[in-house]
Amino acid sequence: MRPAALPFLMLLAACDGWVESPRPPPPIPAPEGSVAQGAAARRAALAPPGPPVDEALLREGAELFRVFCAPCHGPSGAGDGVVTRHGHPPIPPLPRDALQSMAALQSNLAGAHPVEGRLDPRQRWAVSRFVERLP
């Protein structure tokens, strides 16, 4: 037997007897009436009036809007983003009032919105405060 075949045979012998591990059981559903950990703090962070409005918050909102919102909603929030020029159905204009904007953001992000789960409460407020100041 050739010396190079010995390591191959040893590896082949080591593979004998492998058994596929069983699948874990499905997760147990949460008890009725339970609340996700951190849900109360998240609701409080999303409640008006939100964080204080300053230049840092508005800069953050402008950057987040440019990245996450403008492709669909357009640079002025009028619903004329680049995606509408490529076959996407018309998008309604964004509300200019921060509380309405925040409410719209919450309801839109609760469904199948593309940025679902990507913006924390402060970032949502930053976008809403920026949208409030769009021309």
Side-chain angles (χ1 to χ4, degrees):
M1 182 180 336
R2 295 177 38 178
L6 185 60
F8 176 73
L9 289 175
M10 289 175 60
L11 282 172
L12 188 61
C15 292
D16 188 37
W18 278 17
V19 178
E20 190 173 319
S21 61
R23 292 185 178 181
I28 299 170
E32 188 174 326
S34 63
V35 178
Q37 193 172 24
R42 184 170 181 79
R43 269 195 309 276
L46 292 170
V53 180
D54 57 12
E55 284 302 313
L57 186 77
L58 294 175
R59 274 195 309 275
E60 181 180 8
E63 180 63 20
L64 291 167
F65 182 86
R66 185 183 66 75
V67 172
F68 291 110
C69 308
C72 297
H73 294 283
S76 66
D80 58 350
V82 69
V83 299
T84 60
R85 293 189 294 262
H86 296 282
H88 193 282
I91 298 169
L94 294 172
R96 293 295 194 251
D97 176 78
L99 296 181
Q100 287 179 352
S101 175
M102 193 63 179
L105 191 58
Q106 299 317 325
S107 66
N108 286 341
L109 293 181
H113 197 273
V115 296
E116 170 70 33
R118 293 185 180 184
L119 300 177
D120 65 36
R122 177 183 164 77
Q123 292 172 322
R124 291 180 185 203
W125 275 110
V127 169
S128 293
R129 294 300 185 186
F130 173 74
V131 166
E132 180 180 51
R133 287 163 175 77
L134 284 173

